[in-house]
């Protein structure tokens, strides 16, 4: 990937087997649409669900070998458009490349004065909306109840936990490193954190002696099983992500339905695109909390288009901390 | 079991391995409490959840070897009590024996003039309430939507389906025999039935081409998996019974959570005891429909206390048709 290409884009070179590696991707000269608004791409959003798209197992459809990688972007228009005068910042789905033309209707304004603008990909973007919708529409925290969230240091998990705290819940995070646990307890106000590499059942028993009233699941797999064995009566479970199985070739089974019956639990699948109606409220509420310093967030920023495959691979290995973005600016 | 015992009761002789057999049970002389209201037992309720109790896997607790079998009963008091004058009919939990003393507060009046009184164990009893609560509080049928129910010829399943039809849904039953399928389509108004021994996925694809909006699950296991692969967007799933695994020693896994996410489905565990507040409405509504002939139901009546183990074993082999009761009258 050292050759300099005119306006290169990142494509899928082959479908990853298991955990993706950078050589699953390649740079190639981008095909440029002839119409649309010309934009410079400032940031790429790097998200776990993209691994599902590479396997053809995601609701938003497959990205096949030979096709450009695509995700949410922050762009700056270089010509006037319905989005505003040249220089307007917007969010849009599009390919991983530095300059591109996008259909005008694909451009969505981002809140004014956002610093850095990449927040519109993280805590004030899709992950923030995911968290907001899950807490508001599925978990519905009550004061004193116990909320557990997995992948808790990611932009969804950390926001879920802080929304739970604001509603008066006790919040326990499941994370991948002591550094993440420390940050959640110290900066984000979590009541406790568990390293997912430790014996999880024992740790949950110690931290959630009355059972788990709410679980926001970003991972599936063994963690979901162990949490569900400890649900309190009338528990709510938001099923959102499947980090534990995105890298697997076969879809594994899930928890026995008897665990749901025993707890009279409600489990609901959460897909953020169904909750666009909450976006303005989310931007207002979380934006206000960012301005007043009461909402903690982290970003893992990679520099340059060539780093995008590495950024994605490190995310999928649990080696990034916070919302992963690639800065092309 | 041919010896005549004074007031015998059915006890658990040993924990069944797999599908229960009559020799897992025995008759022995009953111990009689010294206090309580003396009653004659008219009917024993024979229910699948009892198998879970024998394995120690049911929310209502275990029944261990050496202990009397117990379930809901229809009794006639032989002395005056708070339940009413001698001769009052009531429903109560109690042991499988012909005469017993029960605590006064355990006696619950049954609707007047019920003929036969065993309906208060079936369509107007716990199974009826289970169906009513599941439809009202979880499935919430909308006209034109498709409802699938398993173990559909049982008292829960047949009632779920008929409540769905009354709400304007298309209703498909999954059953264990052609005889049951015929009865559901002809007497109970189901739109279609599938024999669970046939290739289920193909049959569901044919009968539910737009997917399954509501599923009332009495069985778990492979049937739950195949149904969940076909959920429509925003599907509701009531998890109620686990017939498929009651006879298994090990608790099997369940469907992958990705199926719930993809459909944005809501799955909820249903335990009838949480829904006692609906009982009067259920009795009124379903009782009215029985009187006007618009609600079909079936009973499988076994005669005599000695037949109770056989009745239970046949139920657990899928060989009974309708609400299984034992008549001691």
């Amino acid at each position: 990937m050292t050759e300099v290409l005119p306006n290169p884009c990142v494509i899928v070179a082959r479908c990853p087997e298991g955990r993706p590696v950078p050589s699953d991707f390649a740079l190639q000269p981008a095909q440029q649409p002839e119409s649309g608004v010309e934009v410079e791409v400032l940031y790429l959003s790097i998200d776990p669900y993209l691994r599902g798209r590479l396997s053809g197992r995601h609701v938003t459809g497959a990205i096949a070998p030979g096709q450009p990688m695509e995700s949410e972007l922050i762009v700056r228009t270089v010509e006037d458009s319905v989005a505003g005068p040249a220089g307007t910042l917007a969010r849009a789905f599009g390919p991983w490349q530095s300059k591109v033309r996008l259909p005008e209707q694909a451009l969505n304004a981002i809140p004014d004065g956002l610093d850095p603008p990449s927040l519109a990909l993280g805590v004030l973007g899709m992950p923030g909306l995911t968290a907001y919708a899950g807490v508001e529409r599925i978990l519905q925290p009550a004061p004193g109840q116990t909320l557990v969230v997995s992948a808790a240091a990611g932009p969804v998990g950390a926001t879920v936990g802080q929304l739970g705290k604001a509603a008066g819940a006790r919040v326990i995070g499941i994370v991948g490193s002591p550094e993440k646990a420390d940050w959640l307890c110290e900066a984000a106000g979590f009541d406790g954190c568990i390293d997912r590499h430790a014996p999880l059942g024992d740790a949950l028993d110690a931290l959630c002696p009355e059972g788990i009233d709410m679980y926001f699941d970003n991972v599936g797999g063994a963690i979901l099983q162990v949490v569900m064995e400890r649900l309190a009566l009338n528990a709510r479970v938001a099923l959102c992500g499947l980090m534990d199985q995105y890298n697997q070739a076969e879809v594994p089974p899930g928890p026995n339905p008897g665990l749901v019956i025993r707890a009279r639990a409600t489990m609901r699948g959460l897909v953020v695109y169904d909750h666009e109606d909450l976006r303005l409220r989310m931007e207002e509420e979380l934006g206000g909390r960012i301005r007043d310093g009461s909402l903690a967030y982290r970003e893992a920023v990679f520099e340059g288009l060539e780093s995008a495959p590495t950024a994605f691979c490190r995310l999928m290995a649990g080696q990034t901390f916070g919302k992963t973005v690639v800065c092309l600016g």
Side-chain angles (χ1 to χ4, degrees), chain A:
Chain A
M1 288 196 212
T2 53
E3 186 190 0
V4 177
L5 295 164
N7 194 33
C9 74
V10 177
I11 65 153
V12 182
R14 63 176 180 223
C15 183
E17 288 184 17
R19 194 176 278 184
V21 293
S23 56
D24 293 330
F25 304 90
L27 283 177
Q28 73 172 33
Q31 300 205 330
Q32 195 65 275
E34 286 178 8
S35 65
V37 180
E38 193 179 338
V39 303
E40 288 177 85
V41 179
L42 305 186
Y43 291 96
L44 315 178
S45 183
I46 310 294
D47 304 283
Y49 79 88
L50 295 169
R51 180 67 184 85
R53 296 193 64 184
L54 295 176
S55 303
R57 292 207 301 243
H58 193 261
V59 292
T60 56
I63 306 177
Q67 291 185 328
M69 275 298 282
E70 59 170 23
S71 67
E72 243 189 341
L73 314 172
I74 300 296
V75 303
R76 181 191 287 126
T77 58
V78 298
E79 54 187 332
D80 293 354
S81 72
V82 291
T88 297
L89 296 190
R91 151 179 85 71
F93 270 92
W96 289 6
Q97 64 192 66
S98 297
K99 289 172 189 283
V100 68
R101 286 184 184 277
L102 295 173
E104 267 190 300
Q105 69 275 17
L107 300 171
N108 296 288
I110 66 172
D112 280 338
L114 220 51
D115 182 24
S118 54
L119 290 182
L121 299 177
V123 64
L124 292 180
M126 197 159 60
L129 183 57
T130 304
Y132 194 84
V135 171
E136 171 100 3
R137 295 199 160 146
I138 303 179
L139 299 190
Q140 303 178 333
Q145 292 194 330
T146 296
L147 188 164
V148 172
V149 55
S150 52
V156 176
T159 308
V160 164
Q162 291 176 86
L163 288 171
K165 284 301 296 177
R170 283 185 67 244
V171 174
I172 307 298
I174 301 172
V175 294
S177 76
E179 183 194 10
K180 291 174 179 176
D182 288 348
W183 178 75
L184 286 173
C185 290
E186 285 160 22
F190 277 43
D191 297 284
C193 273
I194 299 170
D195 192 308
R196 67 183 160 87
H197 306 98
L200 184 59
D202 293 346
L204 285 170
D205 288 342
L207 286 171
C208 313
E210 318 263 315
I212 296 163
D213 298 293
M214 296 160 275
Y215 177 50
F216 192 102
D217 186 33
N218 286 310
V219 298
I223 292 177
L224 177 60
Q225 171 70 30
V226 174
V227 169
M228 289 202 49
E229 291 168 357
R230 288 160 178 80
L231 292 181
L233 278 188
N234 302 308
R236 289 84 68 198
V237 177
L239 297 174
C240 181
L242 297 163
M243 193 68 173
D244 196 56
Q245 75 188 48
Y246 288 138
N247 289 333
Q248 294 180 32
E250 297 293 321
V251 174
N256 184 276
L259 297 172
V260 183
I261 299 177
R262 187 178 69 181
R264 292 80 149 148
T266 302
M267 303 181 77
R268 193 170 153 202
L270 173 59
V271 175
V272 63
Y273 311 111
D274 300 337
H275 302 279
E276 275 296 330
D277 60 300
L278 290 177
R279 188 181 285 267
L280 285 180
R281 261 175 62 197
M282 177 279 292
E283 285 176 349
E284 245 179 63
E285 190 174 323
L286 301 190
R289 292 191 52 184
I290 286 179
R291 282 192 297 278
D292 72 21
S294 67
L295 187 70
Y297 62 91
R298 293 268 310 208
E299 288 189 321
V301 184
F302 290 74
E303 299 286 342
L305 186 67
E306 318 70 38
S307 71
T310 300
F312 179 64
C313 296
R314 294 191 57 185
L315 170 71
M316 293 310 298
Q319 294 166 352
T320 59
F321 182 176
K323 169 63 194 175
T324 306
V325 297
V326 175
C327 177
L328 308 186

